[in-house]
């Protein structure tokens, strides 16, 4: 990638559309230079002269800018978002952050995710966090504070409330029940 291409990407310059495409290794998505998505880290960018080259390398077309007139199927997009949540559930993720990272609008992301999976991205993230918390409760003797921090929920009262809402018991009750049943 040369400096001119990099400037076209960070300035969303439509004059470079169809001259080249750029792919972002960390997201697995490729775009037109004019795409209004969040600017990628320079070290994650790869340049392609044709959309088909990016596809052959395993990159998927952006939902936002539809490079080469291509559109990522909803199921693949949702799978991509799920994988991102699975890998980054400990971080502070909002609908806007996910939409920006995955090159779509928050409204479209919410609607599509729910249509494909039957739950919102935030519900999926909460389910992932609670599942990981259950694992920590049974396999470690970490405190609730440590577990909450490890799953991206440093607000302990919220963590306890959400855990009880999902499982029907507090984290401490869950730990006691699981440890008792494993003896």
């Amino acid at each position: 990638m040369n400096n001119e291409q990099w400037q076209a990407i960070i300035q969303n310059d439509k004059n470079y559309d169809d001259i080249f495409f750029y792919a972002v290794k960390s997201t697995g998505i490729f775009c037109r230079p004019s795409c209004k998505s969040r600017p990628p880290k320079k070290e994650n960018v790869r340049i392609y002269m044709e959309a088909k080259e990016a596809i052959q390398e395993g990159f998927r077309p952006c939902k936002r800018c539809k490079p080469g007139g291509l559109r990522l199927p909803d199921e693949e997009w949702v799978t991509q978002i799920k994988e991102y949540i699975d890998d980054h559930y400990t971080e502070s993720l909002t609908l806007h952050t996910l939409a920006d990272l995955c090159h779509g609008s928050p409204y479209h992301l919410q609607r599509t995710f729910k249509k494909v999976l039957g739950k919102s991205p935030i519900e999926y993230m909460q389910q992932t966090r609670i599942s990981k918390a259950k694992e920590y409760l049974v396999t470690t003797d970490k405190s609730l504070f440590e577990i909450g921090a490890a799953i991206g929920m440093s607000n302990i009262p919220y963590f306890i409330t959400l855990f009880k809402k999902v499982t029907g018991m507090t984290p401490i009750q869950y730990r006691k029940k699981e440890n008792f049943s494993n003896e």
Side-chain angles (χ1 to χ4, degrees):
M1 172 175 59
N2 61 40
N3 191 50
E4 182 180 0
Q5 290 167 325
W6 177 242
Q7 290 304 313
I9 292 166
I10 61 171
Q11 294 173 6
N12 308 113
D13 192 335
K14 66 181 177 183
N15 295 319
Y16 288 86
D17 283 0
D18 300 323
I19 293 175
F20 74 90
F21 299 90
Y22 74 95
V24 182
K25 288 187 274 187
S26 58
T27 63
I29 297 172
F30 75 98
C31 299
R32 301 172 189 265
S34 66
C35 188
K36 299 290 186 196
S37 61
R38 177 189 300 197
K41 289 183 179 176
K42 192 173 186 176
E43 63 268 17
N44 289 334
V45 174
R46 296 181 68 184
I47 301 296
Y48 295 96
M49 294 301 131
E50 295 184 33
K52 68 181 179 182
E53 293 172 340
I55 291 171
Q56 289 168 348
E57 293 288 320
F59 291 99
R60 297 181 175 125
C62 173
K63 287 287 253 190
R64 184 175 283 158
C65 70
K66 299 173 188 75
L70 303 170
R71 186 174 172 270
L72 180 65
D74 288 346
E75 290 77 16
E76 285 184 46
W77 193 47
V78 168
T79 298
Q80 187 177 17
I81 295 161
K82 272 181 53 184
E83 288 170 359
Y84 188 87
I85 292 170
D86 291 344
D87 293 342
H88 298 90
Y89 67 89
T90 61
E91 299 171 17
S92 176
L93 297 176
T94 65
L95 192 59
H96 286 280
T97 304
L98 288 170
D100 201 27
L101 286 167
C102 297
H103 299 212
S105 74
Y107 173 76
H108 184 66
L109 169 59
Q110 174 85 358
R111 192 179 74 229
T112 304
F113 202 95
K114 195 154 186 138
K115 179 182 80 175
V116 171
L117 281 187
K119 61 184 85 171
S120 73
I122 301 306
E123 289 169 330
Y124 179 80
M125 183 175 51
Q126 289 174 341
Q127 176 185 340
T128 302
R129 287 175 169 170
I130 296 301
S131 181
K132 194 65 177 173
K134 287 178 176 180
E135 186 180 316
Y136 282 130
L137 286 164
V138 174
T139 61
T140 73
D141 55 0
K142 290 183 176 190
S143 70
L144 290 186
F145 180 78
E146 291 170 311
I147 292 172
I151 64 165
M153 298 182 76
S154 54
N155 180 334
I156 300 308
Y158 178 69
F159 165 53
I160 294 169
T161 301
L162 180 64
F163 192 95
K164 187 171 183 175
K165 179 181 172 191
V166 171
T167 66
M169 57 186 89
T170 67
I172 298 301
Q173 290 169 331
Y174 182 85
R175 177 178 266 165
K176 285 179 183 173
K177 177 183 171 276
E178 289 303 310
N179 286 341
F180 180 76
S181 64
N182 288 334
E183 291 179 355

